[in-house]
Amino acid sequence: MIQPTFPVLAPQRRELIRSLVRDEGIVRVEDLRQNLKVSVATIRRDLEILEENGKLQRVHGGAVTMENRLEEAVFDDKTNQASKEKSRIAEEACKLISTGDSVYLDGGSTTLGLARLLKDRTDLTLVTNSLRAATELADSGPKILLIGGELRRISQTMVGPLTSGVLGQVHVDKAFMGTMGFCLKSGLTTTDPNEAFVKNLVAAQAGQVILLADSGKAEKVSFARVSDWDAIDVLVTDAKLPKPFTKSLRKRGLKVLLA
Amino acid sequence: MIQPTFPVLAPQRRELIRSLVRDEGIVRVEDLRQNLKVSVATIRRDLEILEENGKLQRVHGGAVTMENRLEEAVFDDKTNQASKEKSRIAEEACKLISTGDSVYLDGGSTTLGLARLLKDRTDLTLVTNSLRAATELADSGPKILLIGGELRRISQTMVGPLTSGVLGQVHVDKAFMGTMGFCLKSGLTTTDPNEAFVKNLVAAQAGQVILLADSGKAEKVSFARVSDWDAIDVLVTDAKLPKPFTKSLRKRGLKVLLA
DNA sequence: TCGTTTTTGATCGTTTTTGAGAGAAATGCA
DNA sequence: TGCATTTCTCTCAAAAACGATCAAAAACGA
């Protein structure tokens, strides 16, 4: 965490909280209190204001990004477990990328974590609809092809009819996808149909589709259906995924990696 | 902080505050009091005046920049160089935008300045190939259509063959273009042919093409030819542009605005 | 030099922000 | 389910910052 020089003005503090939520996906009131050296009451008030402005979503114990808002059991441990798992998943996924690959990355905090690992991979071609992934790699790293389209503010990704045109003109060897929920019965789901449409389009034409999702998303079902398990080749998740779940997926022919 | 020699004249002190806000992004009343050796009352009066002139935004405890980017100082330096002229040009250009317009913005620091003025313009549709402009308006403002394509790192814009697909599917009322150089004989030129290609494509199909360029770019010729003056409807520049230049352009039917 | 205008600093009542505490609600665990 | 613990909301008071006002100081012009 960035340690600001104290004291900090209120707007500055809120901006700090906001960027922290954006980067980590989730923040805890107690952590913020320690790092910002103010009382929990102030933290709560800040979170309230930021929530009113649509910058984040408060949850019991802290706050999450708007796109992560349907996740529930987020504070599984005293530490920020979810984010640790996410970065381990990203590292595991990174190993799957070969030299010279063309890679697709979609939106979400886990895939953003993967993007951060690619800053030195000038050998790759990265196709993405994530504004944040592109910004993260704006100064160095793979050659970047950003899918055009309408910016969906809540997820900071490009969606809509204009995206399909570009997607039809490129080929990706490996597509790394995030999801809001995955479930044996319903397959992959996410909050927004437009988002789902783009994911589906990519999945349909990628050489290999790799799903990145921490175990907290298992058996969660969201609004918009993305695809069935048939479309997925590899799942990278963490060791907390229930054994039966893993078995069932492997029986279906998926490669399941536990980071 | 720069320690000035005392006493300091009022306008000088205000200019100091202004540059401090620009550099730091945020200042505190108490810090200013200590460093400038004047009472808080004076500081407050200064801040009040600076706010009236639109130089900064007061907050409880101090003040912040108008373009409240608390992070990122790299690119800002570039914008601050000829910033007075550029921001005046941007303000002048902003007046040309009508309610509900669909607007194209291309890359460059002047057009980025214009982007910053659009944070509350939810009535607009903004089409752009500038990653920075999109990032600047990522959280609020116009509906954003980002042109897909390959990211050209040096300019942080999308270029290449993939751009044309998207551009063909949208119409913009007003296109605001930057340039590396403009010259009566050679017209508009820029450093990169790919960049030039996109600019040309946009200019060809926009309802009105508005060129934003400070006078320092006059009679400069760069490598890649963008277009002739025929393609341009309006030039927004500063008062330092030589009179003959202005006359000559007006004779050709261009509207020339001196900010 | 004197009178006028501008700038500055101090004071005071008001508003905003912050922190602490009590009771209510949510969570975890047996 | 019941109980312990954490977290939340609400209220209130202290602290910090604010605006307004007025008098002193400085700058200015005649």
Side-chain angles (χ1 to χ4, degrees):
Chain A
M1 156 142 193
I2 327 109
Q3 273 293 350
T5 54
F6 296 95
V8 179
L9 262 51
Q12 197 178 10
R13 192 184 53 232
R14 291 187 197 117
E15 180 61 31
L16 215 48
I17 294 175
R18 198 167 90 83
S19 69
L20 214 59
V21 172
R22 262 203 337 218
D23 292 346
E24 305 285 331
I26 179 170
V27 290
R28 297 171 51 84
V29 172
E30 183 56 23
D31 293 343
L32 291 174
R33 187 191 64 76
Q34 285 176 21
N35 286 311
L36 299 174
K37 319 275 188 207
V38 291
S39 72
V40 287
T42 304
I43 299 290
R44 283 190 226 289
R45 271 186 283 254
D46 286 345
L47 293 180
E48 194 178 359
I49 290 166
L50 288 167
E51 184 174 43
E52 272 171 17
N53 297 349
K55 307 296 185 187
L56 49 77
Q57 168 82 44
R58 292 187 67 184
V59 295
H60 199 87
V64 297
T65 53
M66 293 303 277
E67 54 173 324
N68 286 349
R69 66 195 155 162
L70 91 154
E71 295 185 33
E72 288 164 33
V74 269
F75 300 114
D76 15 47
D77 228 3
K78 296 231 165 169
T79 56
N80 197 335
Q81 194 77 25
S83 117
K84 273 186 189 162
E85 268 140 19
K86 279 177 184 171
S87 63
R88 271 215 305 277
I89 290 171
E91 279 167 31
E92 194 65 27
C94 193
K95 295 176 192 166
L96 299 175
I97 302 176
S98 317
T99 305
D101 271 350
S102 77
V103 168
Y104 180 87
L105 229 62
D106 82 346
S109 51
T110 317
T111 47
L112 183 61
L114 177 53
R116 295 208 175 103
L117 301 175
L118 303 179
K119 289 195 176 171
D120 298 321
R121 296 296 298 269
T122 52
D123 58 303
L124 306 175
T125 301
L126 184 79
V127 185
T128 186
N129 75 329
S130 161
L131 184 60
R132 303 206 48 214
T135 308
E136 194 69 36
L137 296 168
D139 296 322
S140 67
K143 175 165 150 177
I144 295 179
L145 294 181
L146 185 54
I147 305 300
E150 184 179 341
L151 179 66
R152 183 169 175 254
R153 288 215 153 85
I154 197 170
S155 61
Q156 299 276 294
T157 55
M158 320 309 299
V159 297
L162 292 177
T163 55
S164 44
V166 179
L167 279 171
Q169 296 181 45
V170 297
H171 169 79
V172 292
D173 300 316
K174 284 154 192 170
F176 293 88
M177 317 288 280
T179 187
M180 280 302 168
F182 61 99
C183 164
L184 283 175
K185 260 192 282 184
S186 312
L188 275 55
T189 51
T190 193
T191 41
D192 181 58
N194 293 308
E195 202 87 47
F197 180 78
V198 176
K199 281 176 197 285
N200 207 317
L201 211 59
V202 173
Q205 59 184 50
Q208 196 180 24
V209 180
I210 300 154
L211 179 67
L212 310 185
D214 60 282
S215 57
K217 282 165 182 162
E219 296 301 356
K220 293 261 161 62
V221 181
S222 189
F223 176 64
R225 183 180 172 77
V226 177
S227 78
D228 209 336
W229 286 104
D230 303 340
I232 312 296
D233 298 301
V234 183
L235 166 65
V236 185
T237 184
D238 57 85
K240 284 186 193 155
L241 191 72
K243 286 264 163 63
F245 208 118
T246 311
K247 264 192 185 170
S248 175
L249 286 178
R250 284 185 173 147
K251 203 174 287 175
R252 291 197 192 196
L254 267 85
K255 196 169 170 182
V256 180
L257 302 176
L258 305 176
Chain B
M1 158 147 190
I2 328 107
Q3 274 292 351
T5 55
F6 297 95
V8 179
L9 265 53
Q12 196 179 357
R13 192 185 52 234
R14 289 186 199 116
E15 185 55 34
L16 210 51
I17 294 176
R18 198 168 91 85
S19 69
L20 215 58
V21 172
R22 232 180 25 199
D23 295 345
E24 306 282 331
I26 187 164
V27 290
R28 306 191 328 123
V29 172
E30 182 56 22
D31 290 344
L32 292 174
R33 186 191 63 76
Q34 284 176 22
N35 287 309
L36 299 174
K37 318 279 187 204
V38 291
S39 71
V40 286
T42 305
I43 299 291
R44 281 191 228 290
R45 271 185 285 256
D46 287 345
L47 293 180
E48 195 178 359
I49 290 165
L50 288 167
E51 184 175 43
E52 272 171 16
N53 297 352
K55 307 297 184 187
L56 49 76
Q57 163 101 45
R58 292 189 69 184
V59 296
H60 201 87
V64 298
T65 51
M66 298 297 283
E67 317 88 25
N68 190 2
R69 301 292 291 154
L70 296 174
E71 312 132 72
E72 170 184 6
V74 193
F75 197 73
D76 277 2
D77 285 353
K78 195 185 169 191
T79 48
N80 285 342
Q81 282 174 8
S83 71
K84 273 187 187 166
E85 273 120 22
K86 280 180 182 170
S87 65
R88 270 214 304 275
I89 289 171
E91 278 167 34
E92 193 66 26
C94 192
K95 294 178 191 163
L96 300 175
I97 302 175
S98 318
T99 305
D101 271 351
S102 76
V103 168
Y104 180 87
L105 229 63
D106 83 346
S109 52
T110 316
T111 47
L112 182 61
L114 177 53
R116 294 210 171 106
L117 301 175
L118 303 180
K119 288 196 176 169
D120 298 321
R121 295 296 298 269
T122 51
D123 58 302
L124 306 175
T125 301
L126 183 80
V127 185
T128 185
N129 75 329
S130 161
L131 186 59
R132 289 190 175 279
T135 307
E136 195 68 38
L137 295 168
D139 295 320
S140 66
K143 174 163 151 177
I144 295 179
L145 294 181
L146 185 54
I147 305 300
E150 184 178 341
L151 179 67
R152 183 168 176 254
R153 288 216 152 84
I154 197 166
S155 62
Q156 298 278 298
T157 55
M158 321 306 300
V159 298
L162 291 177
T163 54
S164 42
V166 178
L167 279 172
Q169 296 182 46
V170 296
H171 169 78
V172 294
D173 300 317
K174 284 153 192 169
F176 292 89
M177 318 290 280
T179 187
M180 278 303 173
F182 62 99
C183 165
L184 283 176
K185 258 194 282 182
S186 313
L188 274 55
T189 50
T190 193
T191 42
D192 181 58
N194 293 306
E195 203 87 47
F197 180 78
V198 175
K199 283 176 197 284
N200 207 317
L201 211 58
V202 173
Q205 60 184 51
Q208 197 180 26
V209 179
I210 300 153
L211 180 66
L212 310 184
D214 60 281
S215 57
K217 282 165 182 163
E219 296 301 357
K220 293 260 163 64
V221 181
S222 190
F223 175 63
R225 184 182 171 78
V226 177
S227 78
D228 208 338
W229 286 105
D230 303 339
I232 312 296
D233 299 301
V234 183
L235 167 65
V236 185
T237 185
D238 56 86
K240 287 182 194 155
L241 190 73
K243 286 262 163 60
F245 208 119
T246 311
K247 263 192 186 170
S248 175
L249 286 179
R250 283 186 173 147
K251 203 174 286 175
R252 290 197 193 199
L254 266 86
K255 196 168 168 184
V256 180
L257 302 177
L258 304 176

